[in-house]
């Protein structure tokens, strides 16, 4: 579904239907590997990732867990250190990695959750947001 949305908004389908297309030569549905393999558009990895983040993570609201509300609570709570309470980053990792905020989901257990939590803490520290 994500590839279809990329194609509709940014790719070949947008161009075919007469809309402005950032990547009119890329058919994300027929060539999803173009995201990682394109030499003409090496930025597609970032574009696809940001598109997914905006389309699927920031709008996530299922089973009583709402990304926007949880983000506000995390920030209002002083961005509690992930090493102390990794609940927020684990939930977000679950959405990205497995499609749900509370893995294991139908697709399996969370992969790389501990590494992701450490990386998140590193970024928060680098930005001066936590000690």
């Amino acid at each position: 579904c994500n590839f279809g949305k990329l194609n509709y908004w940014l790719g070949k389908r947008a161009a075919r239907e007469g809309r402005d297309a950032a990547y009119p030569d890329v058919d994300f549905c027929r060539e999803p590997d173009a995201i990682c393999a394109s030499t003409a558009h090496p930025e597609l990895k970032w574009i696809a990732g940001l598109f997914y983040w905006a389309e699927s993570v920031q709008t996530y609201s299922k089973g009583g867990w709402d990304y926007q509300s949880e983000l506000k609570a995390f920030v209002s709570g002083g961005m509690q250190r992930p090493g102390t309470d990794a609940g927020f980053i684990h939930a977000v990792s679950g959405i990205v990695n497995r499609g749900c905020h509370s893995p294991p989901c139908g697709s399996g257990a969370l992969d790389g959750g501990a590494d992701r939590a450490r990386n998140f803490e590193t970024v928060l520290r680098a930005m001066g947001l936590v000690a």
Side-chain angles (χ1 to χ4, degrees):
C1 186
N2 196 47
F3 296 130
K5 289 177 183 178
L6 278 168
N7 214 37
Y8 180 85
W9 292 108
L10 303 174
K12 199 165 213 161
R13 181 174 173 192
R16 186 177 63 241
E17 294 178 359
R19 293 187 308 278
D20 287 336
Y23 303 99
D25 59 323
V26 179
D27 188 329
F28 292 99
C29 294
R30 293 186 190 267
E31 306 167 61
D33 63 319
I35 291 169
C36 293
S38 176
T39 55
H41 306 293
E43 73 281 4
L44 280 178
K45 292 173 198 163
W46 283 101
I47 297 296
L50 289 171
F51 187 86
Y52 179 79
W53 185 263
E55 182 70 20
S56 299
V57 178
Q58 290 185 334
T59 61
Y60 184 92
S61 184
K62 294 180 184 165
W65 201 95
D66 177 77
Y67 174 81
Q68 294 294 327
S69 299
E70 294 294 332
L71 174 62
K72 288 175 187 170
F74 177 72
V75 172
S76 295
M79 292 184 280
Q80 193 169 11
R81 292 186 52 206
T84 305
D85 177 12
F88 177 73
I89 188 58
H90 283 311
V92 172
S93 293
I95 296 166
V96 171
N97 193 253
R98 294 293 180 211
C100 76
H101 66 280
S102 185
C105 313
S107 58
L110 179 63
D111 182 45
D115 290 335
R116 210 171 281 113
R118 279 191 298 277
N119 291 340
F120 185 57
E121 184 172 357
T122 298
V123 169
L124 292 177
R125 254 198 212 108
M127 295 173 73
L129 299 173
V130 297

